[in-house]
Amino acid sequence: MSQPPGAMAPDAPAHPVPDQFALLRQRRFAPFFWTQFAGAANDNLFKFAFTVMVTYQLSVGWLPPAMAGLVIGALFILPFLLFSATSGQLTDKFEKTRMIRFVKNLEIAIMALAAWAFLAASVPVLLGCVFLMGLHSTLFGPVKFAYLPQVLNERELTGGNGMVEMGTFVAILLGNVVGGLLVAIPGVGHATVAVACMVLALAGRAVAQFIPRAPATDPGLHINWNPISETWRNLKLAHGNVVVFRSMLGISWMWFFGAVFLSNFPAFAKEVLHGNEHVASLLLVVFSVGIGTGSLLCEKLSHRHVEIGLVPVGAIGMTVFAVDLYFASRGLPPHAGHTLGSFLAQPGHWRVMADLALLALFAGLYSVPMYALIQLRSAPTHRARIIAANNILNALFMIASAGVAAALLHAGFSIPQIFLVVGLANAVVAFYIFMLVPEYLLRFVAWVLSRLVYRYRVTGEAHIPTDGPAVLVANHVSFVDAVLLMAASPRPIRFLMDHRIFKVPLLGWLFKLAKAIPVAPQKEDPEAYQRAFDQAAQVLREGDLLGIFPEGGITRDGQLQPFKGGIMKILECAQADGLQVPVVPMALTNLWGSYFSRIEKEGAMVRPFRRGLFNRVGLNVGEAVAPEQVTPAALHERVAALLAR
């Protein structure tokens, strides 16, 4: 059962915006965006400056330079494992703006301690501050992703997540670059870093004051302070929603994949590309720009819906460019040591950078829709705890990635070979996830059909309910009508379809994957007929969308055929279950004469290019009709009027 009723808080605003950048002019989003931006920048400025300090500037016998980065990274991740479960509970229990301000107050205290430690060059205290900043991020993570679906509607959620993802990676990049530059200033580097950390902490807290109130979703929650039992409980809670849990696994795999590349950039730059530390920084810049670009593209490519059809697109791109990075890295001419200028002067290096940029871009396309889906499908009362469970899985997968990379290096694999192995593994893991959760694959097919095969325009999509049961009624023009309706809906649709269409090669497999309900004429197979309507009633009882084509078959002349009475039987069953189910009329336009219609006299789908490529087709969606006003004739009239638009 899907959970769209819990996707959005009851008072979620429905502010239409031109694009995702317009959110930066709205109080419900802008202060939150800059608060999280300042926090991410401060995290990374502090960590990178500290790493440079212990690697290049101090001589600490018990913390050799080769181990410094690993120790700092491990200390930062440790709180995610220990306290994520608790932070998820706190976020569900308390008002979210209050939680954000508490976390920012904590950041000021941590940075005050870190400022003293930088001035005193106290490595043990700075290591403690790394752990505390990890705790700060652990507390902020569930708030960040639980806040967005409370203040953004479904059409804004992908764009909002894209902006946050882009902002996070830009903040990481700026934090690393500025931290490295400031700590290297002769004589005053440590003091300058201390001041910068305090300024960012204070700026983040000042902006947080303007974040509007976001009410608690489960104020009566009793906090379980045992992190082990609560972590297990959260994972079981997430596992209860199959799509959400497997999406969490998909996101965790993306962090595994990304961590392998990010952690190996310094060694890759030095040993494979023969570059200095500036070349390593350039790789980080290229990767960050790629992630940010992919995150921002999600809204454009999804037409401002939560479009999980982009996830397979992202997975394919990640594999293609990871594999090509291996080939691009082979045979590079040896060099004593490239500066940034000499590195950029080599044409072969531009292919390496292009692979990294495109790999990261597709990772953005992969991750943003998954995050939005988790937010949309998680019940509001448990959303923060689900996100906390996701953070725990992310941390475990990142730790596992370090272990796998180390094992492969120990086994004699080169860094490009590790990239190749991870790229190929990504294809296997992605295929496995998409088979476990067919909705990703179905939405991918719908996205390809509606964006690449056709030029598909939807009008009136706001009439498709974002929660609760409803029946979608459309004319039947082609073999791909159901796929195009899937592309227009933010929620899954279960279709009641003529049993004969399941015999069509490939399309039949696709509709079985979509759990479409086969229906046979009552005279032909009474049992199959009744079974189909029983399943349709169950779909509505579960609060989902049911799609039907009341003409009873695909038109053979392009004209709208009379509607049959099955819709009345569906509504009667729903009424018997105590449901008042709205009916949404829809009209597919300009599909007649396309490859998938039956216009050809010699049979359907025999002349693929009779109308060329990228045909303009459309869907007009009308206002929902109350069940007591529904008759086959009245629905026929409404669909005909939509066709005439």
Side-chain angles (χ1 to χ4, degrees):
M1 174 180 173
S2 67
Q3 291 184 322
M8 203 68 59
D11 57 350
H15 303 277
V17 295
D19 57 44
Q20 57 200 326
F21 292 101
L23 292 172
L24 289 176
R25 298 192 296 270
Q26 300 188 20
R27 188 184 167 200
R28 62 197 170 109
F29 182 80
F32 165 79
F33 175 86
W34 292 114
T35 298
Q36 69 86 30
F37 185 94
N42 211 7
D43 273 347
N44 288 277
L45 188 153
F46 165 69
K47 283 192 300 176
F48 196 72
F50 178 36
T51 303
V52 170
M53 188 176 85
V54 295
T55 303
Y56 294 102
Q57 299 177 355
L58 300 180
S59 178
V60 184
W62 51 272
L63 186 62
M67 291 295 296
L70 291 174
V71 171
I72 290 170
L75 277 174
F76 190 80
I77 290 175
L78 183 58
F80 285 91
L81 297 175
L82 297 177
F83 304 117
S84 283
T86 304
S87 70
Q89 294 178 87
L90 294 171
T91 300
D92 279 333
K93 181 176 178 63
F94 296 109
E95 196 263 323
K96 290 177 182 56
T97 308
R98 177 182 170 189
M99 277 291 298
I100 292 171
R101 292 169 184 165
F102 168 78
V103 171
K104 302 313 287 184
N105 289 337
L106 177 63
E107 182 183 354
I108 292 172
I110 297 168
M111 286 297 100
L113 180 61
W116 174 86
F118 270 117
L119 294 172
S122 175
V123 173
V125 174
L126 285 170
L127 286 173
C129 289
V130 169
F131 179 85
L132 291 173
M133 284 303 286
L135 173 61
H136 156 271
S137 296
T138 301
L139 291 170
F140 191 73
V143 185
K144 177 169 75 172
F145 287 109
Y147 174 83
L148 287 177
Q150 274 193 256
V151 299
L152 302 180
N153 62 38
E154 186 273 335
R155 287 176 61 78
E156 298 168 325
L157 199 54
T158 295
N161 274 283
M163 290 294 291
V164 168
E165 196 81 352
M166 177 276 299
T168 299
F169 274 89
V170 170
I172 290 170
L173 175 61
L174 290 176
N176 284 335
V177 171
V178 173
L181 292 174
L182 293 183
V183 78
I185 298 174
V188 295
H190 296 184
T192 307
V193 169
V195 171
C197 288
M198 282 302 300
V199 167
L200 278 173
L202 291 168
R205 177 60 183 88
V207 177
Q209 195 62 34
F210 296 95
I211 299 175
R213 190 172 179 274
T217 51
D218 191 4
L221 176 67
H222 177 72
I223 302 293
N224 174 17
W225 297 102
N226 184 326
I228 298 174
S229 64
E230 186 60 26
T231 295
W232 181 248
R233 184 186 301 175
N234 285 354
L235 290 172
K236 287 174 63 178
L237 183 67
H239 192 266
N241 187 319
V242 174
V243 173
V244 167
F245 183 72
R246 289 173 178 166
S247 298
M248 289 164 52
L249 292 177
I251 289 173
S252 297
W253 167 255
M254 191 275 293
W255 281 106
F256 179 105
F257 180 92
V260 169
F261 286 85
L262 288 169
S263 63
N264 282 288
F265 275 170
F268 180 62
K270 181 179 179 181
E271 298 172 13
V272 180
L273 303 179
H274 314 294
N276 60 15
E277 63 272 16
H278 297 298
V279 173
S281 297
L282 176 64
L283 299 184
L284 178 61
V285 170
V286 168
F287 194 86
S288 300
V289 169
I291 284 278
T293 303
S295 300
L296 292 179
L297 277 176
C298 284
E299 186 191 54
K300 180 68 174 176
L301 294 176
S302 66
H303 286 202
R304 299 182 191 135
H305 280 298
V306 177
E307 181 51 85
I308 61 174
L310 292 175
V311 175
V313 177
I316 292 168
M318 288 161 66
T319 288
V320 167
F321 291 105
V323 171
D324 192 66
L325 182 61
Y326 163 74
F327 289 105
S329 304
R330 297 178 66 191
L332 291 174
H335 195 278
H338 281 295
T339 63
L340 190 58
S342 65
F343 176 81
L344 293 174
Q346 292 285 338
H349 294 154
W350 285 91
R351 179 181 171 188
V352 170
M353 290 191 295
D355 282 334
L356 277 176
L358 290 169
L359 179 154
L361 184 149
F362 281 98
L365 293 181
Y366 176 96
S367 63
V368 169
M370 275 195 171
Y371 274 117
L373 182 72
I374 291 173
Q375 293 165 329
L376 197 63
R377 299 284 180 87
S378 300
T381 53
H382 298 82
R383 187 181 287 130
R385 278 167 282 174
I386 297 291
I387 293 165
N390 176 62
N391 289 343
I392 295 167
L393 287 176
N394 293 170
L396 289 172
F397 272 66
M398 289 172 71
I399 292 169
S401 77
V404 169
L408 290 174
L409 285 171
H410 185 71
F413 282 70
S414 67
I415 292 175
Q417 286 173 335
I418 292 174
F419 292 166
L420 176 65
V421 168
V422 174
L424 295 175
N426 180 68
V428 175
V429 171
F431 181 78
Y432 178 68
I433 291 173
F434 302 148
M435 288 297 98
L436 285 177
V437 189
E439 190 179 345
Y440 282 108
L441 192 58
L442 294 167
R443 296 291 303 198
F444 171 66
V445 173
W447 185 83
V448 169
L449 189 68
S450 62
R451 303 289 188 270
L452 302 182
V453 177
Y454 292 121
R455 283 182 288 176
Y456 183 49
R457 181 181 178 185
V458 181
T459 58
E461 65 264 43
H463 296 309
I464 302 174
T466 56
D467 57 71
V471 181
L472 310 182
V473 171
N475 56 323
H476 208 358
V477 193
S478 76
F479 289 97
V480 294
D481 292 347
V483 180
L484 289 173
L485 294 186
M486 286 182 208
S489 172
R491 298 164 55 194
I493 307 172
R494 293 283 301 278
F495 286 95
L496 199 64
M497 302 178 70
D498 189 318
H499 69 108
R500 289 168 293 188
I501 203 168
F502 289 85
K503 298 176 184 177
V504 177
L506 188 60
L507 287 174
W509 170 80
L510 189 67
F511 293 137
K512 287 177 184 175
L513 200 62
K515 298 182 180 178
I517 303 167
V519 59
Q522 189 172 19
K523 293 180 181 178
E524 181 182 320
D525 191 338
E527 290 186 6
Y529 176 83
Q530 186 56 48
R531 186 165 56 248
F533 282 95
D534 289 343
Q535 290 181 48
Q538 181 63 27
V539 169
L540 297 176
R541 280 196 294 270
E542 292 177 350
D544 294 334
L545 296 177
L546 177 70
I548 68 168
F549 302 101
E551 294 168 274
I554 299 173
T555 179
R556 292 183 178 275
D557 59 7
Q559 301 302 308
L560 185 64
Q561 308 301 307
F563 283 6
K564 298 184 177 180
I567 180 64
M568 303 310 297
K569 184 176 177 67
I570 289 170
L571 294 177
E572 288 168 9
C573 292
Q575 191 171 16
D577 289 329
L579 299 173
Q580 292 295 309
V581 179
V583 179
V584 181
M586 315 172 92
L588 289 158
T589 61
N590 207 36
L591 268 167
W592 179 249
S594 71
Y595 170 58
F596 294 102
S597 69
R598 280 179 162 157
I599 193 172
E600 308 295 341
K601 293 181 180 179
E602 62 267 36
M605 298 189 290
V606 292
R607 293 173 59 191
F609 305 112
R610 69 176 307 277
R611 276 179 37 175
L613 294 173
F614 309 115
N615 305 153
R616 290 184 181 275
V617 301
L619 175 70
N620 296 328
V621 185
E623 294 183 7
V625 182
E628 62 271 13
Q629 298 175 345
V630 171
T631 65
L635 277 180
H636 185 280
E637 184 177 334
R638 286 177 179 267
V639 173
L642 291 169
L643 278 170
R645 283 186 182 177

